[in-house]
Amino acid sequence: MTTNNIYEPERMEVIEVTQQTVDVKSVKIRFRDLGKAKAFSFRVGQFGLYSVFGVGESTFNICCSNSKDYIEFCFRKTGRVTEQMWAVEPGDTIGFRGPFGNSYPLEDWKGKNLVFVAGGIAMPPIRCAIQYVLENLDQYGKITIVYGARTVSDLVFRNELDEWAQFPNVNVVKTVDPGGETPEWDGRVGFVPNVLGETEIDGENTVALVVGPPIMIKFSLPVLSKIGIPDTAIYTSLENRMKCGLGKCGRCNCGPVYVCKEGPVFTLAQMNELPDDF
């Protein structure tokens, strides 16, 4: 019997686990119920809640494009649930609820140049959009990807950066903070906002997606504005502010806005309308 209980997670099989850094893993999962797998779909930029049964659940972006036959998410080991999630292996069962939230307006971005700016663990929420755009490259203009982390060992999906750079009309700029480089490092050395400002970008007919630590976002936004990208064309994802995904717990509430329902994707113009303490 189907209960349609919005709080009941689907049983998902873990099919692949990859350790990205010393404290970050990516996990691919698929529905154990083939009927539900065929009926499932999501939009790029949406998120889900992933659970270890008997322990709890955590919110993560779906970090793959919607052309895949699996769901992939990425997490940092930071607490009780993620400590247990760290131990899962292929063949194990975990829970999934979703998808929730709005999505990146990729249809509206067609024909435009795109700038993706990410810092550290924030690459996964941007990776799903990058994958989608690369799979439909003829529908978009020039693609610029600026990604940085504190050290070389903190970069996630590092092997994919070089693969993306092989696509036509795609410029990948990778950087690490001063002191975070290694002797064999072949990327830039500098903070993301500084490297972004030194990257050749035409702001005309351009959309930017920027996700990362608050300090990185704070200093990247003026750079994007100086390039000529309007606030209505600068997007971010506030996935880390959510807990229940349903607007019930109030954790993500800001004035009349619930990030898990109206977001997690917002333009800078929309964020400027929110209270200052958001």
Side-chain angles (χ1 to χ4, degrees):
M1 180 178 68
T2 301
T3 63
N4 294 321
N5 185 345
I6 59 175
Y7 297 106
E8 182 179 356
E10 298 291 345
R11 274 61 173 173
M12 309 293 287
E13 178 188 4
V14 176
I15 59 175
E16 184 177 314
V17 179
T18 303
Q19 185 162 345
Q20 299 287 340
T21 73
V22 67
D23 61 352
V24 175
K25 283 185 176 181
S26 58
V27 182
K28 293 179 181 179
I29 57 177
R30 64 186 171 200
F31 287 86
R32 287 199 176 275
D33 185 320
L34 296 181
K36 291 181 178 179
K38 291 180 180 179
F40 179 79
S41 65
F42 67 93
R43 301 188 306 275
V44 179
Q46 290 189 293
F47 66 95
L49 283 89
Y50 308 81
S51 54
V52 178
F53 296 115
V55 180
E57 61 184 4
S58 291
T59 306
F60 307 113
N61 178 268
I62 301 173
C63 71
C64 59
S65 72
N66 59 10
S67 65
K68 305 292 187 291
D69 59 359
Y70 56 82
I71 301 169
E72 188 171 10
F73 67 98
C74 190
F75 70 95
R76 171 171 282 154
K77 184 170 57 172
T78 58
R80 184 170 61 94
V81 176
T82 52
E83 286 278 355
Q84 294 299 313
M85 189 75 73
W86 190 263
V88 303
E89 298 177 347
D92 289 348
T93 297
I94 67 171
F96 170 77
R97 292 196 293 123
F100 297 121
N102 62 359
S103 58
Y104 302 128
L106 290 161
E107 288 293 318
D108 296 339
W109 294 358
K110 288 182 178 180
K112 298 181 182 296
N113 303 316
L114 303 179
V115 178
F116 297 102
V117 185
I121 190 61
M123 170 51 79
I126 283 184
R127 175 182 181 248
C128 56
I130 293 174
Q131 281 189 347
Y132 182 91
V133 168
L134 295 181
E135 292 163 359
N136 301 275
L137 198 56
D138 60 325
Q139 300 178 23
Y140 300 92
K142 184 176 181 179
I143 311 300
T144 302
I145 302 168
V146 180
Y147 174 47
R150 285 192 309 153
T151 71
V152 174
S153 62
D154 290 316
L155 294 165
V156 298
F157 297 109
R158 181 180 170 187
N159 62 313
E160 297 183 8
L161 300 175
D162 293 335
E163 296 174 8
W164 295 343
Q166 301 305 310
F167 282 82
N169 221 23
V170 175
N171 179 29
V172 176
V173 182
K174 53 188 180 181
T175 185
V176 295
D177 294 353
E181 70 272 23
T182 58
E184 66 275 11
W185 174 242
D186 60 351
R188 298 284 302 275
V189 176
F191 298 111
V192 169
N194 296 337
V195 173
L196 176 65
E198 296 165 358
T199 302
E200 185 177 346
I201 299 173
D202 184 353
E204 186 176 355
N205 193 38
T206 298
V207 168
L209 173 57
V210 53
V211 186
I215 191 68
M216 187 213 82
I217 295 177
K218 176 181 178 180
F219 287 101
S220 294
L221 293 178
V223 177
L224 296 170
S225 295
K226 185 177 180 180
I227 291 171
I229 305 177
D231 292 354
T232 53
I234 299 175
Y235 292 79
T236 192
S237 177
L238 301 177
E239 164 208 323
N240 64 333
R241 290 184 173 269
M242 300 177 295
K243 185 173 179 63
C244 74
L246 298 167
K248 302 296 185 182
C249 71
R251 175 176 171 176
C252 68
N253 172 245
C254 182
V257 173
Y258 284 83
V259 173
C260 65
K261 298 181 70 175
E262 282 80 15
V265 179
F266 294 92
T267 66
L268 178 55
Q270 290 172 319
M271 291 184 61
N272 287 338
E273 296 298 319
L274 298 177
D276 291 339
D277 61 348
F278 187 60

